[in-house]
Amino acid sequence: MFDTFVEGFAEQLAGYGFERDQGGRVFRRFSPDRDVLIVELQLSTHSTRTEKVFYINVALVLASQWESDRRRLGLPGFELPRSFHGIWSHRIGLSTLSGGDQWEIKDRATLVKVSNGVRLRVDETLPELMRMLDRDALFVDAAELFRGRAWRVRAWLLAEKGPSEELERLLSAGEPGAVRMIREYSANFYDPQASELLVARPQARHESESGGDNARSAADAQPAVQGRVAEDDVVQMLKRISGYIGYAYDHLDEAALTGALDDTNDESADAWFRYPLMGMPPLLVHLARSPGGAVVSVHIEGTMGRILTTRIATLLDLP
């Protein structure tokens, strides 16, 4: 019965572009940059010959991170990563992406129930996770997707371009073990000739915004962006901007914003609320209500490249 479930599971994942590992329980989908999203069925030690208890593990493995791990562990070039190699990993559970949900098949009734439940959860979950295979999404939505691990994801992607000031800024506050491996990869495994062949790499776009090796000149940097936004959209705007710069906007930021606009007035230079978003680059956001309306004026300061400026501008109604 478990084999029947696995075959149906494999068919469902094939519809999302995942390849099965030689008839096994590991499924992978690679991006053009060789990042890989992994879905893996892991049997629990509580399984028996007739009853199967299992987890559905999901993980993201970045190409640079896997190359570093593979060399460090002495694995052959043909070796493919597993879910436990992920820079990010989780489990698809009964109702949410949680860390402890088990699935159990012990008879035909539970086979049908579990098959239907898994199919529903996979269809709910995978479209969201597939964003991780888009390098633009990894940069733009890193804080939303990875929370506390966002800096590590961004650092590995930057390491593919070799040493840079932005990479050093990220590593200066990271965990020692991860920092050591990323620095080693950046210094020893970076291949400029191979990198130059990848002319459309999304990280090159990001570096032009944020001060990497291919950054635009200072004359091209924009000191501020200003516009207006509906008051109900202020939080969403701040979350999106935070994603662009790798700042982990969370409930504490929302709490700081509660009531902050009550006494603001965009017609007075001294009646604006100012809030820092300490990402890469750091930005200072000025907010103030327009009298008699539900509109908020926005003024954002920081050293922003043309692309970052354009992205932020799309969130605002420009004057």
PDB file of all heavy atoms in Angstrom, residues 41-68:
ATOM      1  N   LEU A  41      10.594  11.652   0.874  1.00  0.00           N
ATOM      2  CA  LEU A  41       9.813  10.869   1.825  1.00  0.00           C
ATOM      3  C   LEU A  41      10.759  10.168   2.787  1.00  0.00           C
ATOM      4  O   LEU A  41      11.633   9.407   2.368  1.00  0.00           O
ATOM      5  CB  LEU A  41       8.952   9.838   1.090  1.00  0.00           C
ATOM      6  CG  LEU A  41       7.915  10.391   0.104  1.00  0.00           C
ATOM      7  CD1 LEU A  41       7.228   9.236  -0.628  1.00  0.00           C
ATOM      8  CD2 LEU A  41       6.893  11.254   0.816  1.00  0.00           C
ATOM      9  N   GLN A  42      10.595  10.431   4.076  1.00  0.00           N
ATOM     10  CA  GLN A  42      11.469   9.846   5.090  1.00  0.00           C
ATOM     11  C   GLN A  42      10.640   8.938   5.996  1.00  0.00           C
ATOM     12  O   GLN A  42       9.741   9.395   6.700  1.00  0.00           O
ATOM     13  CB  GLN A  42      12.128  10.944   5.930  1.00  0.00           C
ATOM     14  CG  GLN A  42      12.957  10.417   7.089  1.00  0.00           C
ATOM     15  CD  GLN A  42      13.353  11.511   8.062  1.00  0.00           C
ATOM     16  OE1 GLN A  42      13.159  12.690   7.798  1.00  0.00           O
ATOM     17  NE2 GLN A  42      13.884  11.113   9.208  1.00  0.00           N
ATOM     18  N   LEU A  43      10.952   7.657   6.000  1.00  0.00           N
ATOM     19  CA  LEU A  43      10.255   6.720   6.871  1.00  0.00           C
ATOM     20  C   LEU A  43      10.672   6.924   8.321  1.00  0.00           C
ATOM     21  O   LEU A  43      11.850   7.115   8.633  1.00  0.00           O
ATOM     22  CB  LEU A  43      10.540   5.281   6.454  1.00  0.00           C
ATOM     23  CG  LEU A  43       9.811   4.774   5.205  1.00  0.00           C
ATOM     24  CD1 LEU A  43      10.293   3.368   4.859  1.00  0.00           C
ATOM     25  CD2 LEU A  43       8.303   4.781   5.418  1.00  0.00           C
ATOM     26  N   SER A  44       9.702   6.872   9.215  1.00  0.00           N
ATOM     27  CA  SER A  44       9.979   6.978  10.642  1.00  0.00           C
ATOM     28  C   SER A  44      10.472   5.638  11.179  1.00  0.00           C
ATOM     29  O   SER A  44      10.169   4.570  10.625  1.00  0.00           O
ATOM     30  CB  SER A  44       8.714   7.398  11.391  1.00  0.00           C
ATOM     31  OG  SER A  44       8.855   7.214  12.788  1.00  0.00           O
ATOM     32  N   THR A  45      11.204   5.677  12.268  1.00  0.00           N
ATOM     33  CA  THR A  45      11.656   4.447  12.920  1.00  0.00           C
ATOM     34  C   THR A  45      10.477   3.673  13.521  1.00  0.00           C
ATOM     35  O   THR A  45      10.636   2.513  13.926  1.00  0.00           O
ATOM     36  CB  THR A  45      12.668   4.764  14.024  1.00  0.00           C
ATOM     37  OG1 THR A  45      12.092   5.713  14.942  1.00  0.00           O
ATOM     38  CG2 THR A  45      13.942   5.363  13.442  1.00  0.00           C
ATOM     39  N   HIS A  46       9.304   4.316  13.600  1.00  0.00           N
ATOM     40  CA  HIS A  46       8.117   3.642  14.127  1.00  0.00           C
ATOM     41  C   HIS A  46       7.409   2.818  13.056  1.00  0.00           C
ATOM     42  O   HIS A  46       6.403   2.158  13.341  1.00  0.00           O
ATOM     43  CB  HIS A  46       7.141   4.665  14.715  1.00  0.00           C
ATOM     44  CG  HIS A  46       7.688   5.425  15.876  1.00  0.00           C
ATOM     45  ND1 HIS A  46       7.978   4.829  17.086  1.00  0.00           N
ATOM     46  CD2 HIS A  46       8.024   6.731  16.012  1.00  0.00           C
ATOM     47  CE1 HIS A  46       8.454   5.740  17.928  1.00  0.00           C
ATOM     48  NE2 HIS A  46       8.500   6.905  17.306  1.00  0.00           N
ATOM     49  N   SER A  47       7.913   2.850  11.822  1.00  0.00           N
ATOM     50  CA  SER A  47       7.306   2.063  10.754  1.00  0.00           C
ATOM     51  C   SER A  47       7.544   0.575  10.980  1.00  0.00           C
ATOM     52  O   SER A  47       8.556   0.163  11.553  1.00  0.00           O
ATOM     53  CB  SER A  47       7.888   2.470   9.399  1.00  0.00           C
ATOM     54  OG  SER A  47       7.531   3.795   9.073  1.00  0.00           O
ATOM     55  N   THR A  48       6.599  -0.214  10.507  1.00  0.00           N
ATOM     56  CA  THR A  48       6.744  -1.670  10.545  1.00  0.00           C
ATOM     57  C   THR A  48       6.548  -2.191   9.120  1.00  0.00           C
ATOM     58  O   THR A  48       6.351  -1.415   8.180  1.00  0.00           O
ATOM     59  CB  THR A  48       5.701  -2.309  11.480  1.00  0.00           C
ATOM     60  OG1 THR A  48       4.390  -2.106  10.934  1.00  0.00           O
ATOM     61  CG2 THR A  48       5.774  -1.701  12.869  1.00  0.00           C
ATOM     62  N   ARG A  49       6.573  -3.497   8.970  1.00  0.00           N
ATOM     63  CA  ARG A  49       6.401  -4.074   7.643  1.00  0.00           C
ATOM     64  C   ARG A  49       5.024  -3.765   7.080  1.00  0.00           C
ATOM     65  O   ARG A  49       4.854  -3.590   5.877  1.00  0.00           O
ATOM     66  CB  ARG A  49       6.620  -5.592   7.704  1.00  0.00           C
ATOM     67  CG  ARG A  49       6.649  -6.266   6.329  1.00  0.00           C
ATOM     68  CD  ARG A  49       6.935  -7.750   6.467  1.00  0.00           C
ATOM     69  NE  ARG A  49       5.870  -8.426   7.198  1.00  0.00           N
ATOM     70  CZ  ARG A  49       4.728  -8.853   6.631  1.00  0.00           C
ATOM     71  NH1 ARG A  49       4.525  -8.670   5.340  1.00  0.00           N
ATOM     72  NH2 ARG A  49       3.821  -9.483   7.358  1.00  0.00           N
ATOM     73  N   THR A  50       4.031  -3.682   7.952  1.00  0.00           N
ATOM     74  CA  THR A  50       2.651  -3.492   7.492  1.00  0.00           C
ATOM     75  C   THR A  50       2.117  -2.075   7.722  1.00  0.00           C
ATOM     76  O   THR A  50       1.078  -1.717   7.170  1.00  0.00           O
ATOM     77  CB  THR A  50       1.715  -4.481   8.217  1.00  0.00           C
ATOM     78  OG1 THR A  50       1.826  -4.304   9.633  1.00  0.00           O
ATOM     79  CG2 THR A  50       2.081  -5.917   7.848  1.00  0.00           C
ATOM     80  N   GLU A  51       2.787  -1.299   8.550  1.00  0.00           N
ATOM     81  CA  GLU A  51       2.343   0.069   8.821  1.00  0.00           C
ATOM     82  C   GLU A  51       3.507   1.023   8.574  1.00  0.00           C
ATOM     83  O   GLU A  51       4.594   0.830   9.114  1.00  0.00           O
ATOM     84  CB  GLU A  51       1.848   0.210  10.266  1.00  0.00           C
ATOM     85  CG  GLU A  51       0.638  -0.648  10.585  1.00  0.00           C
ATOM     86  CD  GLU A  51       0.136  -0.438  12.004  1.00  0.00           C
ATOM     87  OE1 GLU A  51       0.620   0.499  12.681  1.00  0.00           O
ATOM     88  OE2 GLU A  51      -0.741  -1.214  12.446  1.00  0.00           O
ATOM     89  N   LYS A  52       3.264   2.042   7.758  1.00  0.00           N
ATOM     90  CA  LYS A  52       4.314   2.994   7.407  1.00  0.00           C
ATOM     91  C   LYS A  52       4.002   4.367   7.999  1.00  0.00           C
ATOM     92  O   LYS A  52       2.942   4.957   7.731  1.00  0.00           O
ATOM     93  CB  LYS A  52       4.453   3.117   5.890  1.00  0.00           C
ATOM     94  CG  LYS A  52       4.817   1.794   5.206  1.00  0.00           C
ATOM     95  CD  LYS A  52       6.136   1.237   5.717  1.00  0.00           C
ATOM     96  CE  LYS A  52       6.490  -0.054   4.988  1.00  0.00           C
ATOM     97  NZ  LYS A  52       7.685  -0.702   5.555  1.00  0.00           N
ATOM     98  N   VAL A  53       4.912   4.856   8.806  1.00  0.00           N
ATOM     99  CA  VAL A  53       4.850   6.212   9.356  1.00  0.00           C
ATOM    100  C   VAL A  53       5.965   7.005   8.682  1.00  0.00           C
ATOM    101  O   VAL A  53       7.116   6.545   8.654  1.00  0.00           O
ATOM    102  CB  VAL A  53       5.033   6.202  10.888  1.00  0.00           C
ATOM    103  CG1 VAL A  53       4.940   7.619  11.441  1.00  0.00           C
ATOM    104  CG2 VAL A  53       4.006   5.286  11.543  1.00  0.00           C
ATOM    105  N   PHE A  54       5.635   8.172   8.147  1.00  0.00           N
ATOM    106  CA  PHE A  54       6.646   8.875   7.364  1.00  0.00           C
ATOM    107  C   PHE A  54       6.461  10.388   7.430  1.00  0.00           C
ATOM    108  O   PHE A  54       5.412  10.897   7.863  1.00  0.00           O
ATOM    109  CB  PHE A  54       6.605   8.417   5.901  1.00  0.00           C
ATOM    110  CG  PHE A  54       5.316   8.694   5.186  1.00  0.00           C
ATOM    111  CD1 PHE A  54       5.160   9.833   4.388  1.00  0.00           C
ATOM    112  CD2 PHE A  54       4.244   7.814   5.288  1.00  0.00           C
ATOM    113  CE1 PHE A  54       3.979  10.084   3.730  1.00  0.00           C
ATOM    114  CE2 PHE A  54       3.044   8.064   4.623  1.00  0.00           C
ATOM    115  CZ  PHE A  54       2.905   9.198   3.844  1.00  0.00           C
ATOM    116  N   TYR A  55       7.512  11.095   7.014  1.00  0.00           N
ATOM    117  CA  TYR A  55       7.515  12.551   6.897  1.00  0.00           C
ATOM    118  C   TYR A  55       7.702  12.927   5.430  1.00  0.00           C
ATOM    119  O   TYR A  55       8.262  12.162   4.639  1.00  0.00           O
ATOM    120  CB  TYR A  55       8.664  13.167   7.695  1.00  0.00           C
ATOM    121  CG  TYR A  55       8.667  12.816   9.169  1.00  0.00           C
ATOM    122  CD1 TYR A  55       9.486  11.792   9.654  1.00  0.00           C
ATOM    123  CD2 TYR A  55       7.876  13.508  10.074  1.00  0.00           C
ATOM    124  CE1 TYR A  55       9.510  11.471  11.006  1.00  0.00           C
ATOM    125  CE2 TYR A  55       7.891  13.198  11.427  1.00  0.00           C
ATOM    126  CZ  TYR A  55       8.712  12.187  11.879  1.00  0.00           C
ATOM    127  OH  TYR A  55       8.723  11.872  13.217  1.00  0.00           O
ATOM    128  N   ILE A  56       7.254  14.127   5.086  1.00  0.00           N
ATOM    129  CA  ILE A  56       7.520  14.688   3.768  1.00  0.00           C
ATOM    130  C   ILE A  56       8.444  15.884   3.965  1.00  0.00           C
ATOM    131  O   ILE A  56       8.013  16.957   4.403  1.00  0.00           O
ATOM    132  CB  ILE A  56       6.224  15.108   3.047  1.00  0.00           C
ATOM    133  CG1 ILE A  56       5.268  13.927   2.947  1.00  0.00           C
ATOM    134  CG2 ILE A  56       6.551  15.669   1.660  1.00  0.00           C
ATOM    135  CD1 ILE A  56       3.912  14.296   2.359  1.00  0.00           C
ATOM    136  N   ASN A  57       9.726  15.686   3.703  1.00  0.00           N
ATOM    137  CA  ASN A  57      10.719  16.745   3.871  1.00  0.00           C
ATOM    138  C   ASN A  57      10.851  17.567   2.590  1.00  0.00           C
ATOM    139  O   ASN A  57      10.826  17.015   1.490  1.00  0.00           O
ATOM    140  CB  ASN A  57      12.088  16.140   4.209  1.00  0.00           C
ATOM    141  CG  ASN A  57      12.054  15.347   5.500  1.00  0.00           C
ATOM    142  OD1 ASN A  57      11.322  15.690   6.424  1.00  0.00           O
ATOM    143  ND2 ASN A  57      12.833  14.286   5.567  1.00  0.00           N
ATOM    144  N   VAL A  58      10.992  18.858   2.740  1.00  0.00           N
ATOM    145  CA  VAL A  58      11.288  19.736   1.607  1.00  0.00           C
ATOM    146  C   VAL A  58      12.523  20.556   1.955  1.00  0.00           C
ATOM    147  O   VAL A  58      12.746  20.896   3.119  1.00  0.00           O
ATOM    148  CB  VAL A  58      10.103  20.658   1.262  1.00  0.00           C
ATOM    149  CG1 VAL A  58       8.940  19.875   0.709  1.00  0.00           C
ATOM    150  CG2 VAL A  58       9.665  21.459   2.481  1.00  0.00           C
ATOM    151  N   ALA A  59      13.345  20.841   0.960  1.00  0.00           N
ATOM    152  CA  ALA A  59      14.584  21.567   1.214  1.00  0.00           C
ATOM    153  C   ALA A  59      15.025  22.307  -0.035  1.00  0.00           C
ATOM    154  O   ALA A  59      14.725  21.904  -1.160  1.00  0.00           O
ATOM    155  CB  ALA A  59      15.691  20.611   1.668  1.00  0.00           C
ATOM    156  N   LEU A  60      15.749  23.408   0.187  1.00  0.00           N
ATOM    157  CA  LEU A  60      16.393  24.139  -0.896  1.00  0.00           C
ATOM    158  C   LEU A  60      17.895  23.999  -0.737  1.00  0.00           C
ATOM    159  O   LEU A  60      18.443  24.234   0.352  1.00  0.00           O
ATOM    160  CB  LEU A  60      16.027  25.622  -0.853  1.00  0.00           C
ATOM    161  CG  LEU A  60      16.772  26.502  -1.866  1.00  0.00           C
ATOM    162  CD1 LEU A  60      16.290  26.221  -3.287  1.00  0.00           C
ATOM    163  CD2 LEU A  60      16.603  27.987  -1.538  1.00  0.00           C
ATOM    164  N   VAL A  61      18.568  23.614  -1.818  1.00  0.00           N
ATOM    165  CA  VAL A  61      20.033  23.533  -1.836  1.00  0.00           C
ATOM    166  C   VAL A  61      20.532  24.465  -2.936  1.00  0.00           C
ATOM    167  O   VAL A  61      20.154  24.310  -4.103  1.00  0.00           O
ATOM    168  CB  VAL A  61      20.513  22.094  -2.099  1.00  0.00           C
ATOM    169  CG1 VAL A  61      22.045  22.047  -2.150  1.00  0.00           C
ATOM    170  CG2 VAL A  61      19.991  21.154  -1.012  1.00  0.00           C
ATOM    171  N   LEU A  62      21.338  25.439  -2.572  1.00  0.00           N
ATOM    172  CA  LEU A  62      21.909  26.366  -3.547  1.00  0.00           C
ATOM    173  C   LEU A  62      23.107  25.725  -4.240  1.00  0.00           C
ATOM    174  O   LEU A  62      23.853  24.960  -3.634  1.00  0.00           O
ATOM    175  CB  LEU A  62      22.333  27.665  -2.867  1.00  0.00           C
ATOM    176  CG  LEU A  62      21.224  28.469  -2.201  1.00  0.00           C
ATOM    177  CD1 LEU A  62      21.813  29.682  -1.488  1.00  0.00           C
ATOM    178  CD2 LEU A  62      20.181  28.905  -3.225  1.00  0.00           C
ATOM    179  N   ALA A  63      23.305  26.067  -5.507  1.00  0.00           N
ATOM    180  CA  ALA A  63      24.385  25.460  -6.284  1.00  0.00           C
ATOM    181  C   ALA A  63      25.740  25.697  -5.640  1.00  0.00           C
ATOM    182  O   ALA A  63      26.552  24.771  -5.510  1.00  0.00           O
ATOM    183  CB  ALA A  63      24.361  26.012  -7.713  1.00  0.00           C
ATOM    184  N   SER A  64      26.014  26.926  -5.232  1.00  0.00           N
ATOM    185  CA  SER A  64      27.315  27.238  -4.628  1.00  0.00           C
ATOM    186  C   SER A  64      27.479  26.534  -3.289  1.00  0.00           C
ATOM    187  O   SER A  64      28.550  25.995  -2.983  1.00  0.00           O
ATOM    188  CB  SER A  64      27.456  28.750  -4.444  1.00  0.00           C
ATOM    189  OG  SER A  64      26.325  29.284  -3.784  1.00  0.00           O
ATOM    190  N   GLN A  65      26.429  26.519  -2.497  1.00  0.00           N
ATOM    191  CA  GLN A  65      26.480  25.863  -1.191  1.00  0.00           C
ATOM    192  C   GLN A  65      26.732  24.364  -1.350  1.00  0.00           C
ATOM    193  O   GLN A  65      27.519  23.765  -0.617  1.00  0.00           O
ATOM    194  CB  GLN A  65      25.158  26.132  -0.461  1.00  0.00           C
ATOM    195  CG  GLN A  65      24.915  25.279   0.760  1.00  0.00           C
ATOM    196  CD  GLN A  65      23.542  24.648   0.741  1.00  0.00           C
ATOM    197  OE1 GLN A  65      22.633  25.104   0.053  1.00  0.00           O
ATOM    198  NE2 GLN A  65      23.368  23.579   1.509  1.00  0.00           N
ATOM    199  N   TRP A  66      26.063  23.735  -2.331  1.00  0.00           N
ATOM    200  CA  TRP A  66      26.257  22.299  -2.535  1.00  0.00           C
ATOM    201  C   TRP A  66      27.660  22.001  -3.049  1.00  0.00           C
ATOM    202  O   TRP A  66      28.284  21.029  -2.623  1.00  0.00           O
ATOM    203  CB  TRP A  66      25.215  21.758  -3.508  1.00  0.00           C
ATOM    204  CG  TRP A  66      25.494  20.336  -3.934  1.00  0.00           C
ATOM    205  CD1 TRP A  66      25.718  19.872  -5.188  1.00  0.00           C
ATOM    206  CD2 TRP A  66      25.591  19.190  -3.081  1.00  0.00           C
ATOM    207  NE1 TRP A  66      25.944  18.520  -5.180  1.00  0.00           N
ATOM    208  CE2 TRP A  66      25.872  18.062  -3.902  1.00  0.00           C
ATOM    209  CE3 TRP A  66      25.459  19.000  -1.707  1.00  0.00           C
ATOM    210  CZ2 TRP A  66      26.020  16.791  -3.385  1.00  0.00           C
ATOM    211  CZ3 TRP A  66      25.621  17.721  -1.192  1.00  0.00           C
ATOM    212  CH2 TRP A  66      25.896  16.633  -2.017  1.00  0.00           C
ATOM    213  N   GLU A  67      28.181  22.837  -3.940  1.00  0.00           N
ATOM    214  CA  GLU A  67      29.543  22.625  -4.427  1.00  0.00           C
ATOM    215  C   GLU A  67      30.535  22.682  -3.277  1.00  0.00           C
ATOM    216  O   GLU A  67      31.456  21.869  -3.177  1.00  0.00           O
ATOM    217  CB  GLU A  67      29.891  23.669  -5.481  1.00  0.00           C
ATOM    218  CG  GLU A  67      31.309  23.593  -6.021  1.00  0.00           C
ATOM    219  CD  GLU A  67      31.589  22.321  -6.802  1.00  0.00           C
ATOM    220  OE1 GLU A  67      30.634  21.561  -7.108  1.00  0.00           O
ATOM    221  OE2 GLU A  67      32.767  22.067  -7.099  1.00  0.00           O
ATOM    222  N   SER A  68      30.327  23.634  -2.363  1.00  0.00           N
ATOM    223  CA  SER A  68      31.191  23.733  -1.194  1.00  0.00           C
ATOM    224  C   SER A  68      31.062  22.497  -0.303  1.00  0.00           C
ATOM    225  O   SER A  68      32.060  21.910   0.118  1.00  0.00           O
ATOM    226  CB  SER A  68      30.841  24.993  -0.402  1.00  0.00           C
ATOM    227  OG  SER A  68      31.551  25.047   0.814  1.00  0.00           O
TER     228      SER A  68
END
